[in-house]
């Protein structure tokens, strides 16, 4: 996509993917007729696409009325427009688009639960259509492209595409709100939607609020905790960001300065005499709050009958989704309401509501914006709402009042508007009255502030900022994408292990050898693990070290009898064999513990399901057994409080896997591994396996040539990745098999020599 501001700097081609294309097509006699989409998404990206070398991939609509000749012509036209159509059968399109996307996801994401059909069953078609999109995009994309997917029709596409193009840079932008997790939970396919999105490298939202909702849903539904603006999933880091979409303000200003448009706006004003004009411009959608807006106008006229001849409300409603039943119903409701209000409040000179059901050109739109005294943008929910911004950009005269729903994303940027709760009809009527009587100086002051923001944060900045962030998202994830492919190659890696004289195995315990239990005492060493570790420990020229954050007593109880070395509290204590004493490797100051204990005990009594583990030189606060949302919330609180409490102390606070570790600075798993490295012979091979952040200290000090494995999905400095503790055990069994075989061969060779 070529973008007006810095297109020349961007080397990578952009592939835009959205459900609908910016142009619609149909047969008119024997000719093709093109229409331009008026939706916010198309409006926002169209100007960028028109000036660039990007590809736009999307569904062209039902083409069954087209002759073969027309189809051929259309193909050429699409090629000229750099458009790639994704063809769907009419039945599939209806189920995927009207059924699932517009019928279920749209009302759900806008908090309008009663608009969702009782029995939604189009999920399979939704999956199928997303799969089909993935095939088409994968057939067109190169490794160097930036793939930018748009909106709720394609929530699964990021991960479907990731499977086809593992190292592609994939961005996703959601144009509608992401609802609070209580609402999102309602969706029967909630896990699929979240994991579908997490295939992206960058996920963008209009506001921080939506981004926060998404992060909380990931936590509640998938148990994955976001780190403010990033989530680690499937071995990749996914970045989250708030990118409030702007408009092409310069274009609106230019149109607003066109003498023909100025003349048109004066004509509109004159047609309504001295009456003040309240304007409403929307797609005719039940989210846009038209009925309550009309009721607010009615209320205003009820309360102030003198306004009847002094106010005109012009409502322009662009036809939308006319094939969906709910949309036919909202149209009927709106028209009935207008009929009723006009019937009651019309005078012989005219009716208070002037209603137009249809589309207008951009010039006519700007003329209307300029003619209005007040623009009422009162959606029940709206991702952003560009109409509000277009109004502001068109008011080069510096006048006009914006009445704006606090439930529109735009409200987080346009605070100088009169913000209204659109469920409060009386409140809206009062805001309209205030807007109509607002002194000119206040109108101008508010409009000047609004314009300073709308005119500087344009749609081009929006696209550039998103694409810049997406452009830099590859480096970290590319390495991880390669690692993620490694599990199939375990046998390749272990083959080389037999050739080394001595082998030093450094193993973490929880999450590595055993899966996590809801509380630490439940992650016991089962008999098969005991047997595995015993056989490993008995191998000749093989050392086995368990390096854990657990206490000495804990390790001793489960592993004390095995012929292996144990290292407790992240290496503070070591015990080289079953009958050996524990040696303390460092003498950290523990004075700070008495300050921290009361705080942690307070949380222990307050938060159901948490466990506090006290160690000789630290604490661990476990929250795996706590309801995920609550656990993460308290973990964050504790960390904040600890940072303050321990500001001057030689202590570090670490966020592990559902645990907060508080331990002395400098005591980490690296210290014992460093000592092992120093005393190991030149032919020793280190194999290290761990799953937690604390294991990164251990990986960091391994000598060159070592083999390291990270268990799980998070990014790691380890060389290879294993999916689960079960896979770790398989690997260790293979090591036993290889080393035993090597031992046999050596014995046989020796026998042969004698
Ligand atoms: P929409 O729901 O389509 O977009 P919006 O942002 O208001 O809502 O954009 C509508 C566009 O249609 C505007 O550019 C407007 O000028 C145009 N339009 C409206 N009525 C018209 C008419 N009668 N004639 C001609 N043009 C008309 C979705 C989300 C929004 C989000 C956008 C962009 O629902 O919340 O702001 O995407 O992300």
């Amino acid at each position: 996509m070529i973008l007006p501001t810095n297109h020349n700097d961007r080397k990578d081609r952009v592939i835009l993917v959205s459900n609908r294309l910016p142009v619609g097509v149909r047969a008119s006699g024997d000719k093709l007729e093109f229409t331009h989409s008026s939706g916010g998404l198309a409006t926002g990206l169209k100007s960028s696409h028109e000036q660039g070398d990007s590809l736009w991939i999307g569904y062209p609509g039902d083409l069954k009325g087209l002759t073969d000749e027309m189809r051929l012509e259309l193909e050429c036209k699409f090629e000229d427009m750099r458009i790639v159509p994704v063809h769907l059968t009419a039945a599939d399109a209806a189920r995927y688009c009207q059924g699932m996307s517009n019928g279920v996801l749209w009302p759900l994401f806008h908090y309008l639960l009663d608009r969702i059909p009782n029995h939604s069953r189009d999920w399979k078609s939704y999956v199928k259509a997303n799969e089909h999109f993935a095939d088409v995009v994968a057939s067109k994309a190169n490794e160097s492209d930036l793939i930018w997917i748009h909106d709720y029709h394609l929530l699964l596409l990021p991960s479907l595409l990731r499977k086809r193009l593992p190292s592609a840079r994939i961005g996703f932008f959601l144009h509608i709100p992401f609802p609070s997790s209580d609402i999102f939970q309602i969706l029967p396919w909630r896990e699929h939607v979240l994991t579908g999105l997490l295939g992206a490298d960058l996920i963008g939202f209009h506001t921080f609020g939506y981004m926060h909702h998404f992060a909380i849903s990931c936590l509640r539904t998938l148990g994955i905790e976001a780190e403010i603006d990033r989530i680690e999933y499937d071995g990749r880091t996914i970045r989250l960001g708030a990118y409030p979409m702007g408009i092409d303000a310069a274009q609106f200003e230019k149109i607003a300065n066109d003498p023909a448009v100025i003349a048109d706006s004066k004509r509109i004003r004159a047609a309504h005499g001295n009456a003040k004009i309240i304007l409403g411009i929307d797609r005719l959608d039940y989210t846009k709050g038209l009925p309550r807006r009309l009721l607010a106008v009615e209320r205003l006229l009820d309360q102030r009958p003198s306004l009847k001849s002094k106010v005109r409300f012009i409502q322009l409603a662009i036809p939308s989704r006319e094939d969906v039943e709910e949309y036919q119903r909202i149209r009927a409701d709106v028209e009935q309401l207008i009929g009723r209000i006009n019937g009651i409040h019309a005078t012989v000179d005219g009716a208070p509501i002037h209603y137009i059901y249809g589309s207008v050109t951009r010039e006519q739109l700007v003329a209307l914006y300029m003619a209005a005294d007040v623009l009422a943008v009162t959606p029940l929910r709206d991702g952003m709402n560009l109409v509000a911004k277009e109004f502001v950009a068109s008011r080069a005269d510096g006048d006009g009042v914006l009445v704006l729903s606090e439930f529109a994303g735009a409200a987080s940027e346009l605070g100088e508007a009169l913000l209204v709760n659109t469920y409060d009809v009386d409140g809206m009527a009062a805001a309209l009255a205030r807007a109509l009587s607002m002194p000119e100086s206040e109108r101008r002051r508010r409009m000047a502030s609004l314009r300073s923001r709308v005119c500087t944060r344009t749609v081009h900045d929006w696209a550039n900022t998103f694409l810049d962030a997406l452009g830099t998202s590859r480096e970290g994830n590319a390495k991880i994408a390669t690692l993620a492919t490694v599990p199939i190659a375990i046998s390749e890696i272990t083959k080389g292990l037999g050739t080394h004289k001595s082998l030093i195995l450094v193993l973490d315990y929880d999450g590595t050898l055993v899966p996590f239990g809801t509380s630490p005492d439940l992650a016991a060493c089962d008999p098969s693990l005991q047997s595995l570790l015993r056989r490993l420990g008995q191998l000749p020229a093989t050392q086995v070290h368990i390096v854990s954050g657990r206490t000495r007593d804990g390790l001793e109880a489960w592993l004390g009898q095995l012929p292996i070395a144990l290292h407790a509290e992240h290496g503070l204590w070591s015990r080289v064999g079953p009958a050996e004493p524990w040696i303390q490797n460092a003498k950290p100051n523990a004075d700070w513990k008495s300050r921290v204990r009361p705080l942690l005990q307070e949380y222990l009594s307050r938060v159901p399901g948490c466990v506090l583990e006290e160690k000789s030189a630290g604490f661990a606060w476990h929250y795996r057994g706590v309801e995920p949302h609550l656990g993460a919330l308290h973990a964050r609180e504790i960390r904040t409080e600890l940072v303050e409490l321990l500001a001057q102390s030689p202590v570090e606070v670490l966020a592990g896997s559902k645990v907060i570790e508080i331990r002395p600075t400098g005591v980490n798993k690296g210290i014992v591994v460093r000592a092992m490295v120093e005393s190991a012979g030149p032919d020793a091979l280190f194999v290290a396996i761990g799953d937690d952040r604390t294991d990164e200290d251990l990986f960091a000090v391994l000598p060159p040539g070592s083999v390291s494995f990270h268990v799980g999905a998070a990014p790691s400095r380890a060389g290879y990745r294993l999916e689960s503790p079960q896979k770790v055990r398989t690997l260790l069994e293979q090591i036993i098999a290889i080393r035993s075989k090597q031992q046999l061969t050596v014995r046989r060779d020796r026998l042969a020599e004698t």
Side-chain angles (χ1 to χ4, degrees):
M1 163 160 60
I2 290 201
L3 299 158
T5 46
N6 74 351
H7 147 70
N8 292 331
D9 302 343
R10 198 183 308 289
K11 286 184 231 80
D12 309 318
R13 182 175 66 154
V14 174
I15 297 188
L16 297 169
V17 192
S18 62
N19 171 51
R20 292 311 294 265
L21 290 165
V23 288
V25 64
R26 63 168 189 211
S28 164
D30 59 352
K31 283 205 163 59
L32 285 178
E33 193 181 274
F34 288 94
T35 52
H36 293 273
S37 168
S38 63
L41 186 156
T43 316
L45 290 172
K46 203 169 54 181
S47 59
S48 306
H49 178 65
E50 277 166 1
Q51 298 167 55
D53 63 349
S54 63
L55 282 187
W56 195 321
I57 301 180
Y59 171 54
D62 185 4
L63 303 179
K64 70 172 178 300
L66 268 57
T67 61
D68 289 349
E69 236 170 52
M70 284 171 161
R71 279 168 198 265
L72 220 61
E73 188 192 336
L74 182 61
E75 254 175 51
C76 300
K77 283 259 162 59
F78 273 162
E79 215 173 303
D80 288 349
M81 295 188 246
R82 298 183 318 284
I83 280 177
V84 179
V86 179
H87 296 290
L88 301 169
T89 66
D92 280 345
R95 282 191 290 265
Y96 138 75
C97 193
Q98 281 93 294
M100 184 52 57
S101 307
N102 293 340
V104 178
L105 298 173
W106 177 268
L108 179 78
F109 279 46
H110 287 88
Y111 296 69
L112 296 171
L113 307 184
D114 55 350
R115 302 272 177 179
I116 302 172
N118 285 342
H119 188 184
S120 326
R121 39 191 154 187
D122 295 318
W123 177 251
K124 277 191 186 146
S125 303
Y126 186 82
V127 176
K128 191 171 153 198
N130 273 254
E131 292 267 8
H132 189 40
F133 264 85
D135 290 336
V136 176
V137 177
S139 72
K140 296 288 169 191
N142 301 318
E143 290 289 301
S144 59
D145 294 333
L146 294 176
I147 303 172
W148 190 6
I149 302 165
H150 292 265
D151 233 359
Y152 61 99
H153 304 84
L154 301 173
L155 299 172
L156 307 179
L157 186 54
S159 68
L160 295 174
L161 212 46
R162 175 71 56 209
K163 282 188 198 135
R164 290 158 174 83
L165 303 168
S167 53
R169 285 173 297 180
I170 302 172
F172 181 92
F173 188 83
L174 185 69
H175 289 260
I176 64 175
F178 195 96
S180 102
S181 61
D182 282 343
I183 297 287
F184 184 73
Q185 291 283 93
I186 290 168
L187 188 68
W189 309 279
R190 58 200 181 190
E191 287 92 355
H192 301 279
V193 164
L194 294 176
T195 55
L197 283 171
L198 291 173
D201 295 298
L202 174 65
I203 306 176
F205 304 88
H206 280 305
T207 71
F208 280 107
Y210 305 155
M211 175 177 138
H212 178 67
H213 288 162
F214 175 74
I216 298 294
S217 280
C218 285
L219 180 65
R220 289 184 71 178
T221 305
L222 305 176
I224 303 173
E225 218 170 306
E227 202 49 60
I228 304 174
D229 63 348
R230 54 198 62 214
I231 288 186
E232 284 166 9
Y233 174 72
D234 199 20
R236 295 175 303 109
T237 300
I238 295 110
R239 282 154 68 188
L240 310 178
Y243 301 91
M245 185 173 171
I247 57 163
D248 186 349
Q251 196 191 40
F252 278 89
E253 278 189 301
K254 193 170 157 222
I255 299 174
N257 285 315
D258 178 340
V261 175
I262 296 173
D264 198 26
S265 106
K266 285 190 177 147
R267 194 189 48 72
I268 297 169
R269 279 225 65 93
H272 294 280
N274 288 331
K276 291 212 169 190
I277 296 175
I278 302 175
L279 178 67
I281 291 190
D282 314 79
R283 271 190 314 100
L284 187 46
D285 192 298
Y286 52 77
T287 61
K288 303 289 181 183
L290 260 66
R292 284 188 177 84
R293 187 187 307 162
L294 290 164
L295 289 175
V297 170
E298 183 183 36
R299 196 93 184 114
L300 182 70
L301 297 177
D302 282 344
Q303 289 169 339
R304 298 162 201 243
S306 63
L307 286 179
K308 280 185 190 176
S309 55
K310 293 187 189 142
V311 173
R312 284 287 171 273
F313 176 46
I314 304 178
Q315 176 62 55
L316 182 62
I318 185 167
S320 184
R321 305 176 191 170
E322 289 169 295
D323 39 5
V324 178
E325 205 185 311
E326 285 292 329
Y327 286 73
Q328 294 158 8
R329 201 175 316 151
I330 181 75
R331 181 180 173 192
D333 289 351
V334 163
E335 292 180 356
Q336 201 184 20
L337 204 52
I338 291 173
R340 182 171 68 74
I341 298 171
N342 272 345
I344 295 171
H345 293 284
T347 64
V348 283
D349 302 323
I353 302 176
H354 191 93
Y355 171 66
I356 307 150
Y357 180 67
S359 207
V360 296
T361 64
R362 187 159 278 194
E363 284 69 22
Q364 289 168 321
L365 198 68
V366 174
L368 274 165
Y369 286 141
M370 291 166 72
D373 294 283
V374 177
L375 178 78
V377 178
T378 59
L380 301 175
R381 290 280 160 183
D382 213 336
M384 171 54 72
N385 194 290
L386 300 179
V387 168
K389 293 188 171 182
E390 291 170 3
F391 171 66
V392 170
S394 302
R395 296 310 295 250
D397 64 350
D399 206 349
V401 183
L402 175 62
V403 173
L404 177 62
S405 163
E406 57 189 68
F407 307 124
S412 61
E413 285 182 283
L414 306 181
E416 295 83 1
L418 292 186
L419 296 181
V420 288
N421 172 352
T422 44
Y423 286 83
D424 172 10
V425 169
D426 287 340
M428 270 198 288
L432 288 176
R434 184 171 167 211
L436 289 169
S437 60
M438 189 181 279
E440 185 178 349
S441 57
E442 184 181 350
R443 295 198 306 259
R444 291 193 171 278
R445 203 177 58 240
R446 287 175 181 262
M447 185 53 81
S449 305
L450 291 171
R451 283 179 61 75
S452 68
R453 227 160 298 128
V454 168
C455 297
T456 50
R457 303 169 70 171
T458 67
V459 68
H460 312 302
D461 302 322
W462 168 75
N464 280 326
T465 315
F466 186 92
L467 288 169
D468 286 347
L470 179 58
T472 56
S473 65
R474 176 182 249 170
E475 292 84 14
N477 281 340
K479 179 176 171 251
I480 292 158
T482 352
L483 292 180
T485 62
V486 164
I488 47 162
I490 284 179
S491 54
E492 284 303 306
I493 297 157
T494 48
K495 246 194 267 171
L497 301 184
T499 59
H500 286 265
K501 252 199 202 129
S502 68
L503 182 63
I504 301 177
L505 285 168
V506 185
L507 309 173
D508 170 49
Y509 182 76
D510 293 275
T512 298
L513 293 172
V514 289
F516 287 108
T518 44
S519 107
D521 50 331
L522 295 178
C525 183
D526 51 274
S528 84
L529 179 60
Q530 294 225 358
S531 147
L532 176 66
L533 291 174
R534 185 179 301 284
R535 283 178 288 128
L536 270 175
Q538 285 165 346
L539 285 173
T542 303
Q543 295 176 26
V544 182
H545 296 265
I546 304 288
V547 187
S548 165
R550 283 184 177 263
T551 58
R552 285 166 291 168
D553 291 348
L555 288 183
E556 191 85 53
W558 286 338
L559 310 168
Q561 299 311 310
L562 300 172
I564 58 177
L566 302 177
H567 307 271
E569 296 193 34
H570 302 117
L572 178 62
W573 299 94
S574 294
R575 195 218 67 172
V576 291
E580 304 292 334
W582 283 94
I583 311 276
Q584 191 168 3
N585 297 314
K587 292 258 179 308
N589 177 338
D591 297 349
W592 55 271
K593 280 182 69 188
S594 54
R595 273 183 290 142
V596 169
R597 193 176 296 108
L599 174 81
L600 295 176
Q601 277 170 345
E602 157 74 13
Y603 276 93
L604 181 66
S605 59
R606 193 143 56 95
V607 183
C610 73
V611 173
L612 179 61
E613 197 185 352
E614 177 152 3
K615 308 179 183 185
S616 65
F619 296 96
W621 187 77
H622 299 265
Y623 59 99
R624 192 166 296 277
V626 181
E627 193 273 313
H629 185 206
L630 209 64
L633 201 76
H634 288 305
R636 247 172 250 154
E637 271 174 24
I638 292 182
R639 277 164 72 189
T640 315
E641 290 193 50
L642 285 174
V643 167
E644 265 179 43
L645 201 64
L646 298 169
Q648 305 302 324
S649 313
V651 181
E652 34 184 10
V653 179
L654 288 183
S657 178
K658 309 275 184 209
V659 59
I660 298 197
E661 291 273 0
I662 306 125
R663 65 181 194 188
T665 312
V667 176
N668 63 53
K669 293 184 180 183
I671 57 171
V672 280
V673 176
R674 205 175 284 121
M676 289 176 212
V677 173
E678 278 163 15
S679 59
D683 192 37
L685 174 70
F686 279 80
V687 174
I689 314 179
D691 73 300
D692 204 308
R693 280 192 199 174
T694 61
D695 299 313
E696 296 300 311
D697 299 324
L698 176 167
F699 296 141
V701 298
L702 290 171
S706 303
V707 186
S708 53
F709 296 89
H710 173 83
V711 186
S716 164
R717 52 155 56 93
Y720 301 97
R721 181 174 304 285
L722 292 166
E723 281 161 31
S724 60
Q726 200 45 52
K727 286 271 160 60
V728 174
R729 294 187 188 194
T730 311
L731 171 75
L732 295 175
E733 288 289 359
Q734 288 186 22
I735 291 178
I736 293 173
I738 289 165
R739 298 286 292 182
S740 309
K741 199 164 145 202
Q742 180 208 18
Q743 208 186 336
L744 271 178
T745 321
V746 173
R747 268 199 223 136
R748 212 178 295 135
D749 290 350
R750 280 205 200 118
L751 271 176
E753 276 169 27
T754 53

